[in-house]
Amino acid sequence: LLFQDDQMRSLRARLRVTASKAYLAARGYGEGFEKYRKLNEFVSTFDKDEYSARNPSFTTLSEDLDQLGKWDKDIATMRLERNVAPLLLVDARNFKQMLLDQILAPQNAIMELILGEGRTLGKNIISEYKDICSKLTIKESVSLNKQADFIAELKFAESEEKKLEQQVELVQKIYKRLDKMGVKVPLDDRTQLDDVVEWVEKFNASTEQARDHVKEQESKYEVKLNESI
């Protein structure tokens, strides 16, 4: 009866068409979820301690945070249709909510690491500026050996200047990134950032005064040398 009755043959044909369309619709719908595969793998296996142990640079942290931001936008555009096709019902809401919940952990962990990177870098910058400036303290009536040491310290300061400027730019970039992400930066870190800027000014003033002092001492030695001839 199933194979000989005209009505049954017609019904089977319609069912095959319906099933075929449902399969194609399901496949197309499923392909749209491929872009969430890497995201799902990343957030499902993310381990804060393991990630931190890699000691990622600010560049890596920033790139990972950017990628999470892109994935976050992808989640917002996820198709949530329940009736994908006849005979096929899909509920993606739970999957979407799961991703939204899980993506917060790596985002918060990375922003915390970026804050720590800025804090450590700022502290090191200030320490180096302090050390250099302390060695550029001008003292009158020093021996030729002491004067030679002073000139050596000035040359060292000048050789470090570009590197320190780049580090200052980086630490400022870090805090701008945190502000952009709406991270609540502690007052101590804000104060330290201000201290960095203040030490840049002290460094510039110290090196300028040191150059003037060296020129002045050279002129004095030249006068003394001419007088002794």
Side-chain angles (χ1 to χ4, degrees):
L1 178 63
L2 289 175
F3 297 99
Q4 295 178 359
D5 183 80
D6 291 340
Q7 289 185 344
M8 293 304 297
R9 284 201 296 268
S10 176
L11 177 60
R12 289 204 317 274
R14 290 198 300 273
L15 285 174
R16 282 197 297 270
V17 171
T18 299
S20 178
K21 289 181 177 179
Y23 171 77
L24 291 175
R27 182 170 181 173
Y29 182 76
E31 287 174 350
F33 281 81
E34 275 300 313
K35 63 183 177 182
Y36 304 111
R37 185 182 297 277
K38 289 184 179 180
L39 161 61
N40 187 44
E41 291 175 356
F42 184 85
V43 299
S44 298
T45 60
F46 182 81
D47 183 276
K48 179 181 177 180
D49 294 333
E50 182 182 330
Y51 184 85
S52 301
R54 300 176 197 166
N55 195 27
S57 65
F58 170 67
T59 299
T60 299
L61 292 169
S62 190
E63 288 175 351
D64 287 347
L65 198 58
D66 285 339
Q67 182 59 66
L68 287 167
K70 291 176 182 177
W71 282 337
D72 210 2
K73 291 179 180 178
D74 285 341
I75 296 174
T77 62
M78 185 183 294
R79 293 171 59 190
L80 300 175
E81 294 96 332
R82 293 179 63 87
N83 296 307
V84 176
L87 308 178
L88 185 62
L89 300 178
V90 176
D91 184 5
R93 294 183 184 278
N94 290 336
F95 179 61
K96 179 177 181 177
Q97 190 59 51
M98 179 193 73
L99 291 179
L100 287 172
D101 292 340
Q102 289 185 334
I103 203 172
L104 292 175
Q107 282 179 328
N108 291 335
I110 291 173
M111 287 188 286
E112 184 178 327
L113 288 172
I114 290 176
L115 177 59
E117 180 80 7
R119 180 180 297 142
T120 301
L121 181 59
K123 183 178 180 180
N124 291 340
I125 291 171
I126 291 172
S127 177
E128 189 162 356
Y129 272 137
K130 279 184 177 179
D131 183 58
I132 291 174
C133 289
S134 67
K135 293 175 181 177
L136 292 180
T137 302
I138 296 173
K139 297 178 181 178
E140 299 297 337
S141 301
V142 295
S143 65
L144 286 174
N145 287 337
K146 291 290 184 181
Q147 183 66 11
D149 292 340
F150 185 85
I151 293 173
E153 292 295 346
L154 174 58
K155 289 182 177 179
F156 174 76
E158 291 173 334
S159 69
E160 291 289 289
E161 187 171 7
K162 187 63 178 178
K163 183 196 77 174
L164 286 167
E165 286 177 355
Q166 291 173 342
Q167 290 181 347
V168 171
E169 288 177 3
L170 177 57
V171 78
Q172 290 174 331
K173 186 177 180 181
I174 287 173
Y175 282 99
K176 285 180 181 178
R177 183 61 195 266
L178 292 170
D179 289 339
K180 182 180 178 181
M181 297 301 298
V183 178
K184 187 176 181 181
V185 178
L187 180 60
D188 286 347
D189 292 285
R190 292 288 185 193
T191 302
Q192 181 175 265
L193 184 59
D194 292 337
D195 290 343
V196 168
V197 176
E198 184 178 334
W199 275 102
V200 171
E201 295 173 354
K202 288 181 179 179
F203 172 84
N204 291 336
S206 293
T207 53
E208 186 62 31
Q209 290 171 5
R211 291 188 192 99
D212 292 341
H213 175 71
V214 169
K215 289 179 181 178
E216 183 181 339
Q217 292 302 308
E218 287 176 347
S219 297
K220 288 181 180 180
Y221 288 131
E222 186 176 350
V223 169
K224 287 182 180 180
L225 181 61
N226 290 333
E227 289 177 349
S228 62
I229 295 175

